[in-house]
Each structure stands twice: as structure tokens, then as C-alpha cells.
Amino acid sequence: MIDDDLLDDTDALIAADNNQTLRSLAMAGASVRMAVEGFVPPARLVGDGRPRSVLVAGLGGSAIVADALAALAGPASPVPVTSRRGGPLPGWIGALDLVIAVSMSGRAPQVISLAAEAARRGARVFAVSEEDSPLAQLVESTGGAVWPLRASRLPDSPGLQTRSGMWSLLTPVLAVAGAIGLLDIRPDAFADAADRLDSEAEACRPSSPGFLNPAKALATELDGSVPVVLADGDLAAAAAARATSMLARSSRMPAVRGTLPDDASDVVALFDGPMSGRDRDVFADPFLDGPAAPTLRLLVLSDGGGSAAPVLPLGHTNGSAGEPSPIATVTAVVEPVRELAERVGVRVSTVTADPGSALARLAQLIARCDFASTYLALGSGLDPGRSPSLADLRDRWRESE
């Protein structure tokens, strides 16, 4: 169970955060600004114009880069955006395509292998990785372009981790995507996103009490549950993927995710299962009867922007004449799912992005869930910045190289 007193004790909270995860999350806005300051697109990437396709190679926490890029490009993307987390490079990748390899450490063998094969086939290769890492060295030696990550980019910052430093990975990829014509992203979109991240960091700061802090409140709501993270569109789906990853890696909490309207049936079917809370005994005493079994908690991530006319991504319309609006279609599904959950006893939490650019809305959804996952870990006595089992798995991978 979460320790509410710890969450409201600023000094104890900071002391428990051994890897300074909260501090790193608060620097997300600075990471965005530093990544785009003076950014010059590598000539070797943009010289040949827009590629035929873009493939993002990323493993584990780095996979959010592919999810976010595909969501921001949207269904109107001029070229397909795909991802690969391992295995062989698709056979159709060749000289007309761009492969983006992302790895915070630059030591993931699967990502290195994909980048090497892409270079062998003559594809354009762009890597975002730690400076002088094996991945960076490979890409540079084969004529590709590298964006080096340096801990000194954030003064006196803790070590780089995808859990707390994803914006250092994502921002240069989005900047390159804009330079090659994949995204129509305005120069001020990064500034808007950085401001939104700063606002979330201020609202979710450790010194903010639980009744005012939206991330602490969300962490308390998720405590003792099995979250079902439900997104109301493609943009929110990228945030949902990040949320389930952070809940697993930081809070050690299993979670499932889905996107409306496609996954409505799967989510609603869970409401009839043993974890729905339908038969919860509201009079049970946890001291006499033991701790209650985990129950489902529906976490709705909404890209509605909180306005009657949500800001639409580039190229997205409200539907042709005589056709239902995609937004209206999703809204028509969200409310019945929410109402059904509450009726059968499944508790519901909602995080809604404020109006703004697509990147700013995505940033807000991700930041809120990042902070909540971190507070949930700290309040449960866990170190959100380090998982012993995950560290052991990485060591075994490196020994097998």
C-alpha cells in the first residue's frame, strides 16, 4: 500500500528518490529546449529529400519514440512509419528508406544489429545514442548521422535513463522528421511542448501536497489496482504505451492498454471478470480480513483538450459530408465505457490534455503519467530509477554479446 505520509513529506520523498527520477522528469522541458537549440539537420539525411519510408528501431523504454512519431505523423503521413524492436530488418528496407536507431546506452545488440543491416543495404541511418557508444561508432563509421546524448546537456544531472530522459531521445527524432518533410511541425511547437512540460513539473513537484498535486492524486488512485489504460485516439495511444511501460518499470505494476474504439469490447469484457470489483465487500476490514485483492482501475487518457472543438492534427478532418466525425465516433464510445465501468464497480481515473498543439498535448499526457508512476513507486517503498531484476537481465544480455 502507498504511504500517503511519505508523499506529503518533501524531504523524505526526495531522500527516497535515490536516482533523482523526479528531478530528471522535471527537466524534461529543458531537455526539449536544449535538443532543438541551434539544431541543424544532418545534410546526409535531408540531401536526398523525403524517404520512401521511416523505420524506428528501439528496444524497451526507447520504443516510445516510434509510438510518438507514428502518432504525430498520423494517418495523413506522406510516408509510412513503422517500428522494429528486434529480429531481422524487414526485407523491403533499402536505399530509399530511413532507419532511425534509438538507444540511450547505445549498447542494445538488437538495435545495433538493425542499424548495421540498414547501413549494409544502403539505407539512410540516423542514430540517437550516448556519445561514443557502440551504436554511435557503428553509424558514424558507415556514413550515417548521429545525435550524441551527453549527461552534461543537463547541468549536474543524474545519469541518462529512458525512464526519465525520453525527451532527450524523442526531440531530435521529431526535429529530423520535420526536416525531411515527414512532420509539418512548426518551430514554436517544441517551445509549446517544453512550456507544457514545465507546467506539469510545477503542478507535480514534490513539495505540492497530495490534494493539489494531480500526479500524487493519480498515484493514490492507482494504488492496489490493476490499471487498464484506455486511450481515446492515436495520440493518447502513444501516451498509453508510455504509461504502461512506466507502471511496469518504475512502479512494478502490471497494466494493460487499449485504444478506442477498436479495443472497447476487450476492455468491457474485463468488467465481467473476477477483478472488476463487482463483488467488493465495502465493509471489509483490511486489518482483520487481510488486504483486499487488486481490482481493475480504468485510466482514461483523453486527447480531447478539454474544449468543445478539439485541436486536430495536421491533415485530420472532422469527417466528410454524410460521414460521422472520427472525434464524435470516439466520444460516443468513451462515455458508455466509462459509465458501464462505474456501474459495475470499476473505478475510473481520467487524464485530459489541455488544448494546444499535438506535441504539447502528448507531452502533457506523458508527463502526468510519468510523475504518477514515480510517486506510486516511491510511496510503495520502491526505487523508481532502478529495478534489480531488469539490471540483472541487461547484464546477462551483455555477457552473451
Side-chain angles (χ1 to χ4, degrees), residues 44-133:
R44 66 189 73 179
L45 293 182
V46 301
D48 293 332
R50 183 185 295 162
R52 177 180 60 181
S53 71
V54 175
L55 182 142
V56 181
L59 185 69
S62 300
I64 180 59
V65 173
D67 297 327
L69 180 59
L72 290 166
S77 173
V79 300
V81 179
T82 58
S83 64
R84 197 75 174 175
R85 288 163 170 77
L89 193 70
W92 46 265
I93 291 290
L96 300 177
D97 306 297
L98 169 63
V99 172
I100 301 175
V102 290
S103 172
M104 190 70 79
S105 68
R107 292 172 174 79
Q110 300 92 330
V111 177
I112 294 173
S113 176
L114 289 168
E117 179 61 17
R120 188 188 69 81
R121 296 188 196 177
R124 282 179 269 178
V125 181
F126 176 58
V128 182
S129 175
E130 274 191 4
E131 192 173 27
D132 295 327
S133 68

Side-chain angles (χ1 to χ4, degrees), residues 140-174:
E140 287 178 337
S141 67
T142 54
V146 176
W147 178 270
L149 297 173
R150 305 181 185 92
S152 59
R153 287 184 183 275
L154 297 178
D156 191 30
S157 65
L160 293 168
Q161 291 184 333
T162 51
R163 268 176 265 188
S164 55
M166 64 148 285
W167 289 99
S168 296
L169 283 177
L170 178 58
T171 305
V173 171
L174 296 181

Side-chain angles (χ1 to χ4, degrees), residues 22-374:
L22 288 170
R23 180 169 177 263
S24 296
L25 292 176
M27 299 171 98
S31 297
V32 173
R33 293 186 185 93
M34 291 181 182
V36 298
E37 183 179 1
F39 177 81
V40 177
R44 66 189 73 179
L45 293 182
V46 301
D48 293 332
R50 183 185 295 162
R52 177 180 60 181
S53 71
V54 175
L55 182 142
V56 181
L59 185 69
S62 300
I64 180 59
V65 173
D67 297 327
L69 180 59
L72 290 166
S77 173
V79 300
V81 179
T82 58
S83 64
R84 197 75 174 175
R85 288 163 170 77
L89 193 70
W92 46 265
I93 291 290
L96 300 177
D97 306 297
L98 169 63
V99 172
I100 301 175
V102 290
S103 172
M104 190 70 79
S105 68
R107 292 172 174 79
Q110 300 92 330
V111 177
I112 294 173
S113 176
L114 289 168
E117 179 61 17
R120 188 188 69 81
R121 296 188 196 177
R124 282 179 269 178
V125 181
F126 176 58
V128 182
S129 175
E130 274 191 4
E131 192 173 27
D132 295 327
S133 68
L135 175 61
Q137 293 174 1
L138 167 76
V139 173
E140 287 178 337
S141 67
T142 54
V146 176
W147 178 270
L149 297 173
R150 305 181 185 92
S152 59
R153 287 184 183 275
L154 297 178
D156 191 30
S157 65
L160 293 168
Q161 291 184 333
T162 51
R163 268 176 265 188
S164 55
M166 64 148 285
W167 289 99
S168 296
L169 283 177
L170 178 58
T171 305
V173 171
L174 296 181
V176 164
I180 63 174
L182 174 61
L183 295 180
D184 185 5
I185 189 164
R186 305 186 318 271
D188 59 349
F190 290 108
D192 291 344
D195 290 344
R196 189 71 62 95
L197 289 167
D198 286 347
S199 296
E200 281 296 305
E202 174 66 19
C204 303
R205 65 191 186 279
S207 60
S208 175
F211 65 92
L212 292 176
N213 190 315
K216 289 182 181 180
L218 180 57
T220 302
E221 292 173 3
L222 295 176
D223 183 36
S225 71
V226 176
V228 179
V229 187
L230 191 60
D232 69 354
D234 292 340
L235 200 69
R242 168 71 174 183
T244 54
S245 177
M246 285 292 286
L247 285 168
R249 290 166 173 265
S250 296
S251 311
R252 301 0 162 218
M253 176 178 284
V256 296
R257 59 184 167 93
T259 305
L260 293 174
D262 294 352
D263 297 320
S265 298
D266 290 347
V267 170
V268 169
L270 295 173
F271 298 167
D272 294 324
M275 302 183 72
S276 68
R278 186 191 296 265
D279 299 321
R280 182 189 301 114
D281 183 0
V282 297
F283 299 106
D285 187 327
F287 295 99
L288 297 177
D289 303 320
T295 56
L296 298 178
R297 162 72 73 163
L298 187 63
L299 172 56
V300 179
L301 301 186
S302 175
D303 182 32
S307 65
V311 180
L312 299 177
L314 183 73
H316 191 71
T317 67
N318 253 339
S320 304
E323 296 181 357
S325 159
I327 291 177
T329 300
V330 171
T331 302
V333 177
V334 170
E335 291 311 315
V337 171
R338 194 196 314 266
E339 292 170 3
L340 181 59
E342 293 172 343
R343 189 166 72 244
V344 301
V346 174
R347 292 168 176 154
V348 181
S349 300
T350 303
V351 178
T352 303
D354 297 326
S357 68
L359 183 56
R361 302 194 316 269
L362 177 64
Q364 182 178 2
L365 293 175
I366 287 177
R368 181 72 57 82
C369 295
D370 281 358
F371 275 106
S373 298
T374 302

